[in-house]
Amino acid sequence: MQKKHFVFAAAVLLCLAVVFSAGCVDNGTSGDKVEILYVVPGNMPQLLDSGAVDAAITWQPFVAGIEEAKIGKVISYSEDLPPEGKWEGHTCCVFGANSNALANPEVAADLTALMILGNEYITDNPAKSADLIADWLFAKGDLTYGSVSVNSVDVMKASIPTISFSGEVTDAWIKSNEDFVQSQRDLGLVSGKLANTNSEDTKELLFDFSAYDAAQDILESGKFLDPKTSVKEIAIGYLPSDHDGPLFVLIKDWKFFKDNYNTYLKPVSEKVGKIDKAELYVNGKKVCDVKLIEGSAGPNLMTLLQQNQIQYAVAGTPPFVSAIDKASSAVDIKILAPIMMNGSGLLAADDAPADDWDSFIAWVKERSAEGKPVVIADPQLGSIQDVQLKAALDSAGIGYSTKSA
């Protein structure tokens, strides 16, 4: 079969330059080892295809895209990585807001309820959701791999079933967030407000569940809350990932939510691709204008929240934790509810002699004995994927060195 090649903005030579110019940090473990290369996920397919890396851990839809392109194969999805049972339902992306948004509690509750309904929509309609999310992210265009194209809807159809779309706050999910904060302390990445907090203080700093609790009442009663204070405009930040799918389906299939709940986000102009302007209707009445702001990365959205350029954001847990830990702004940031869990995976090159975790570790040991350590691409120091990869390697007695630009 002809191998399909990802086309990304960064060239292979630039990727290789990053590899060879990177600094190296060793975790000090002797014996079997791998090399971890910190690299942006968009470059991972190119690196895998060129042989510059042997494996990669990343989030969807990169996992599905790499598999669809026959560049790599899934060794383990994130929730199944060792230690056994540790990562099931792990935190990933969340819905959050700043203190200015929470000053209007009815709108915050209505939006949180809509996000929960967006999750339910994806769970109940995975095929249609794949189409809508591919529309938002890729205008339903093909993803090009060299001379071969792969349908973006097919990539979404492969990706969505591996993501747990849920807005339910559970004790396990809260514990997952606390465990992640501890991992950041261990790495020295959390050194401010969250550096020495106990469980209750950590929860107090990270979360505000008032909007979630009100949203649960809304969904039980079927009656959304009319705002007590008028709002002219709100802005919601998001990232271009299918992890943010609940927001996309709410807007792309707004008529469904109008017909079923009479509360909805209506695009100002319906079109193929991304929507940047919408209107929030609550109980059939327009409440405010809504701007949809695509962020370049999670930290970018946190800055916009602190500057009140956006009032709500869908982003990963790590940037929320980092921003809350280091916050010096008068504008507070809080996590309101989960948007999804799981949604990442460890892949090996398509021709690697490994198909699951046990065979992957056997391959790692074989390569280490040959003096050619397996190189694993990793999104970022302290990312959820980075923490999971290192925990899995530790559980197998595998050491690692790290490289970063």
Side-chain angles (χ1 to χ4, degrees):
M1 178 182 291
Q2 181 180 9
K3 182 171 279 191
K4 305 170 186 177
H5 303 278
F6 272 74
V7 173
F8 283 92
V12 174
L13 289 178
L14 178 59
C15 297
L16 293 173
V18 171
V19 175
F20 294 120
S21 66
C24 186
V25 177
D26 197 298
N27 77 334
T29 304
S30 60
D32 299 316
K33 287 191 177 184
V34 299
E35 292 181 1
I36 295 174
L37 172 67
Y38 293 123
V39 59
V40 295
N43 288 339
M44 289 182 184
Q46 201 87 333
L47 290 169
L48 269 172
D49 193 36
S50 69
V53 302
D54 305 295
I57 187 165
T58 189
W59 52 79
Q60 293 286 22
F62 291 106
V63 177
I66 288 169
E67 270 211 307
E68 287 290 307
K70 306 300 182 187
I71 291 171
K73 54 189 172 183
V74 172
I75 296 298
S76 174
Y77 288 105
S78 52
E79 63 271 25
D80 298 321
L81 283 169
E84 184 177 355
K86 181 174 178 61
W87 306 114
E88 178 58 42
H90 67 80
T91 186
C92 190
C93 288
V94 297
F95 183 50
N98 67 18
S99 50
N100 288 340
L102 295 174
N104 195 322
E106 295 82 19
V107 171
D110 289 336
L111 285 173
T112 302
L114 281 175
M115 289 294 181
I116 293 170
L117 292 172
N119 273 316
E120 291 180 2
Y121 180 100
I122 295 175
T123 300
D124 294 342
N125 305 280
K128 186 170 185 180
S129 297
D131 188 80
L132 297 174
I133 296 170
D135 181 345
W136 186 291
L137 293 175
F138 307 111
K140 286 200 281 194
D142 288 344
L143 305 180
T144 302
Y145 313 119
S147 61
V148 181
S149 294
V150 175
N151 186 277
S152 60
V153 177
D154 289 341
V155 172
M156 290 300 105
K157 285 180 177 178
S159 175
I160 284 173
T162 72
I163 301 171
S164 176
F165 286 102
S166 171
E168 183 182 5
V169 173
T170 65
D171 290 342
W173 176 77
I174 292 172
K175 178 65 163 55
S176 176
N177 283 279
E178 291 185 76
D179 287 347
F180 180 73
V181 171
Q182 183 58 51
S183 75
Q184 302 303 281
R185 292 189 187 111
D186 295 341
L187 290 167
L189 299 176
V190 163
S191 55
K193 294 180 178 180
L194 290 164
N196 300 297
T197 52
N198 60 29
S199 176
E200 288 306 310
D201 289 341
T202 298
K203 287 186 280 190
E204 182 71 21
L205 284 167
L206 287 182
F207 306 118
D208 186 327
F209 292 138
S210 57
Y212 174 80
D213 292 339
Q216 292 299 308
D217 292 339
I218 287 170
L219 297 176
E220 274 190 39
S221 67
K223 177 69 174 177
F224 281 76
L225 304 178
D226 294 316
K228 294 178 181 177
T229 304
S230 63
V231 181
K232 182 178 180 182
E233 182 181 81
I234 60 172
I236 304 174
Y238 69 91
L239 298 173
S241 165
D242 56 358
H243 288 192
D244 295 30
L247 177 63
F248 305 154
V249 300
L250 281 169
I251 297 169
K252 284 292 181 178
D253 198 7
W254 66 273
K255 291 178 182 176
F256 171 88
F257 297 93
K258 177 183 179 182
D259 292 344
N260 287 276
Y261 307 105
N262 205 27
T263 295
Y264 49 97
L265 286 163
K266 179 183 178 181
V268 171
S269 176
E270 294 188 71
K271 60 180 181 178
V272 173
K274 299 167 186 174
I275 303 294
D276 57 7
K277 294 180 181 178
E279 298 168 332
L280 173 62
Y281 284 78
V282 175
N283 299 320
K285 298 177 183 178
K286 181 181 174 181
V287 167
C288 62
D289 294 323
V290 180
K291 292 169 62 178
L292 288 312
I293 308 295
E294 182 179 295
S296 58
N300 165 235
L301 292 182
M302 298 305 105
T303 299
L304 295 179
L305 280 173
Q306 290 170 326
Q307 295 173 345
N308 200 39
Q309 294 185 49
I310 60 175
Q311 291 73 50
Y312 298 90
V314 182
T317 297
F320 273 97
V321 168
S322 179
I324 291 167
D325 176 59
K326 296 173 176 58
S328 58
S329 167
V331 178
D332 286 336
I333 299 174
K334 297 291 184 182
I335 294 172
L336 306 187
I339 277 289
M340 46 70 64
M341 280 80 81
N342 303 334
S344 297
L346 173 68
L347 307 107
D350 205 46
D351 58 358
D355 298 290
D356 57 20
W357 178 252
D358 288 341
S359 58
F360 181 78
I361 292 301
W363 178 47
V364 163
K365 291 181 177 180
E366 180 182 334
R367 285 278 300 269
S368 185
E370 294 170 354
K372 298 183 292 184
V374 167
V375 180
I376 306 174
D378 179 321
Q380 184 180 356
L381 175 67
S383 65
I384 291 169
Q385 297 75 22
D386 182 55
V387 170
Q388 291 174 327
L389 174 63
K390 290 173 180 175
L393 293 171
D394 287 343
S395 74
I398 305 297
Y400 53 85
S401 60
T402 62
K403 294 182 179 181
S404 56

